[in-house]
Amino acid sequence: MKRIGLTQRVEIKEAYGERRDCLDQNWVNLVFSCGFIPIPLGNVVDDISLYLDELSLDGIILTGGNDLASYGNDSIAEERDAFEFEALNYCHKNDLPVLGICRGMQVLNVWNGGELTRIDGHAGSN
């Protein structure tokens, strides 16, 4: 089976003094039901290329959640931004496919030189 990396959202749990990477459990079942092995990816990695080399991934899904910090949003996930942009560079260099879902599509857009515009009333917004 092919190995698919799944990026994770960042959650802050102040009661524990922790920054957590997390992923909706439905992602594992979805990816596995498509015939792939899901591999959750950590956001805090010193050497992203080495990390991804060692995982021997066949592709990456950039999942949803967290705003992009670099576009005027109140993001809590600067480490996620950095990881995903470096992961895209890695995938481009190594000819690996990438699928962007929600935030992931925004990351792909920005990585390819596009811009983002905040829209009021978007589903899931406050």
Side-chain angles (χ1 to χ4, degrees):
M1 279 191 201
K2 294 189 184 259
R3 301 164 56 91
I4 304 298
L6 297 166
T7 63
Q8 299 185 76
R9 79 176 62 230
V10 174
E11 295 279 335
I12 298 174
K13 295 297 179 186
E14 292 183 18
Y16 294 100
E18 295 178 351
R19 296 179 67 81
R20 297 180 179 177
D21 291 337
C22 57
L23 186 67
D24 185 319
Q25 294 173 347
N26 289 311
W27 275 108
V28 172
N29 286 327
L30 173 67
V31 172
F32 193 72
S33 72
C34 292
F36 304 114
I37 300 293
I39 309 292
L41 302 174
N43 286 309
V44 183
V45 176
D46 290 331
D47 189 336
I48 293 170
S49 291
L50 177 61
Y51 177 57
L52 296 177
D53 278 344
E54 292 296 323
L55 290 174
S56 299
L57 298 175
D58 296 292
I60 290 180
I61 297 175
L62 303 174
T63 66
N66 300 121
D67 288 334
L68 285 166
S70 56
Y71 281 82
N73 296 314
D74 294 330
S75 176
I76 62 167
E78 292 86 1
E79 68 268 41
R80 182 178 183 187
D81 294 354
F83 178 84
E84 288 183 343
F85 283 106
E86 282 300 313
L88 282 172
N89 291 335
Y90 177 90
C91 289
H92 180 71
K93 177 182 174 187
N94 292 283
D95 201 28
L96 291 177
V98 177
L99 174 64
I101 307 293
C102 197
R103 171 205 155 90
M105 185 57 75
Q106 294 175 22
V107 171
L108 283 166
N109 173 51
V110 171
W111 186 80
N112 281 292
E115 295 182 9
L116 300 177
T117 303
R118 181 169 295 283
I119 297 174
D120 292 330
H122 175 66
S125 65
N126 294 329

